[in-house]
């Protein structure tokens, strides 16, 4: 079942070689993750620090772990030694903590800034003004142990594909605008747009996504 699901998605994505598939493994047991690993998947997304840390310890070390859920500053230290990318940076304060913990581990941690594009009231994500304010600040320029690789966003949970397209286009154009203004520097290298989940990843890819975060379409629904 899992093998079949992964194969279908990989075939759909084959026409887009730049797009990376992040298998969203939250709530799934280690055995299921191992099965996905044996199918060749290496990029796993989790939304909780404790769950991700436990799975990291139990599983092969060539897995790249992406944190995709809201992150509290006091928990950064638990993932700083191994996390591959933090996709859900939503404040300068959090970024400063990631930088501090990365430095302690003698690492540079790749991050995405989470941008608010949906119409729904969700709590997390920067708006355009906050995004530019963060990137323009001196505090940001001083961070040497993080690297901003791009943006992450979530579309509104709706059947209205026109609206989803519009929101993904919005994120893509914000990405392009930011990339124009902030040329590659030591801590910024805009190459990734993480958008698209099980219900909308092909729409996202059509709008320029480079990372799709797919959970239920691979592993079935979560309870
Ligand atoms: C759970 C989650 C996903 C995956 O959702 P599915 O609909 O199961 O594919 C993607 N992104 C984030 C941020 C999530 O929390």
């Amino acid at each position: 079942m899992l093998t079949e699901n992964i194969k279908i998605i990989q075939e759909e994505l084959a026409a887009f070689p730049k797009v990376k598939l992040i298998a969203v493994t939250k709530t799934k047991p280690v055995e299921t993750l191992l099965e996905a690993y044996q199918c060749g998947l290496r990029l796993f997304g989790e939304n909780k620090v404790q769950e991700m840390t436990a799975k990291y310890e139990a599983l092969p070390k060539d897995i790249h772990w992406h944190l995709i859920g809201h992150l509290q500053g006091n928990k950064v230290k638990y993932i700083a030694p191994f996390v591959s990318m933090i996709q859900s940076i939503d404040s300068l304060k959090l970024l400063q903590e990631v930088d501090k913990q990365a430095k302690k581990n003698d690492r540079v941690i790749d991050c995405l800034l989470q941008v608010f594009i949906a119409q729904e009231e969700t709590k997390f994500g920067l708006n355009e003004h906050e995004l530019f304010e963060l990137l323009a600040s001196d505090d940001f320029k001083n961070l040497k142990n993080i690297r901003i690789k791009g943006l992450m966003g979530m579309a509104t949970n709706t059947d209205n594909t026109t609206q989803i397209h519009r929101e993904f286009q919005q994120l893509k154009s914000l990405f392009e605008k930011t990339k124009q203004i902030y040329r590659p520097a030591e801590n910024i290298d805009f190459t990734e747009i993480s958008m698209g989940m099980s219900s909308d990843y092909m729409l996202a890819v059509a709008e320029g996504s480079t990372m799709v975060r797919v959970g239920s379409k691979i592993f079935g629904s979560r309870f």
Side-chain angles (χ1 to χ4, degrees):
M1 191 58 187
L2 202 120
T3 316
E4 198 55 34
N5 293 347
I6 293 171
K7 216 175 110 196
I8 291 167
I9 297 167
Q10 282 174 334
E11 276 166 13
E12 284 177 317
L13 293 177
F16 306 91
K18 277 202 289 194
V19 177
K20 291 172 275 298
L21 173 62
I22 314 291
V24 176
T25 49
K26 62 191 186 198
T27 77
K28 300 297 168 185
V30 163
E31 302 76 61
T32 306
L33 274 66
L34 197 54
E35 224 183 301
Y37 178 88
Q38 279 152 359
C39 292
L41 299 188
R42 291 295 179 272
L43 309 179
F44 289 0
E46 287 281 339
N47 66 341
K48 294 206 169 88
V49 164
Q50 202 176 0
E51 190 175 338
M52 182 160 129
T53 306
K55 287 172 175 173
Y56 162 75
E57 279 161 12
L59 285 163
K61 295 297 171 281
D62 58 341
I63 292 172
H64 297 263
W65 295 94
H66 289 235
L67 192 85
I68 60 170
H70 181 63
L71 177 59
Q72 286 173 285
N74 61 355
K75 295 193 175 161
V76 175
K77 58 177 176 287
Y78 301 113
I79 58 169
F82 70 90
V83 69
S84 177
M85 179 178 272
I86 298 173
Q87 298 206 1
S88 44
I89 300 289
D90 58 3
S91 72
L92 177 62
K93 193 159 167 269
L94 178 61
L95 200 54
Q96 287 171 315
E97 180 62 20
V98 173
D99 183 77
K100 182 177 148 193
Q101 298 299 334
K103 192 170 184 172
K104 277 191 189 167
N105 286 278
D106 199 20
R107 302 184 62 206
V108 174
I109 296 180
D110 286 342
C111 295
L112 301 181
L113 298 172
Q114 183 170 352
V115 174
F116 182 78
I117 50 169
Q119 253 170 18
E120 302 160 305
E121 276 297 311
T122 63
K123 275 183 281 181
F124 307 113
L126 303 159
N127 63 33
E128 180 168 339
H129 173 74
E130 292 164 334
L131 171 71
F132 288 126
E133 193 174 57
L134 187 160
L135 291 172
S137 70
D138 287 333
D139 285 337
F140 170 71
K141 288 181 191 122
N142 289 330
L143 304 179
K144 302 274 188 275
N145 290 77
I146 53 95
R147 192 183 297 114
I148 302 294
K149 298 290 289 181
L151 303 179
M152 186 269 256
M154 258 190 277
T156 304
N157 184 11
T158 172
D159 292 334
N160 183 344
T161 52
T162 311
Q163 183 180 351
I164 298 172
H165 265 297
R166 198 185 329 115
E167 291 173 359
F168 285 152
Q169 277 165 4
Q170 216 181 305
L171 186 61
K172 166 73 169 169
S173 69
L174 187 56
F175 172 88
E176 293 300 340
K177 187 172 165 185
T178 313
K179 195 174 156 162
Q180 278 298 313
I181 301 172
Y182 297 95
R183 297 290 173 186
E186 210 173 338
N187 64 2
I188 184 158
D189 173 25
F190 252 58
T191 50
E192 307 290 350
I193 311 178
S194 175
M195 57 185 188
M197 319 189 353
S198 289
S199 59
D200 56 20
Y201 64 89
M202 288 313 284
L203 294 184
V205 164
E207 300 297 349
S209 172
T210 67
M211 283 183 174
V212 293
R213 309 178 307 271
V214 181
S216 45
K217 188 141 188 214
I218 298 176
F219 300 105
S221 53
R222 293 175 293 273
F223 299 103

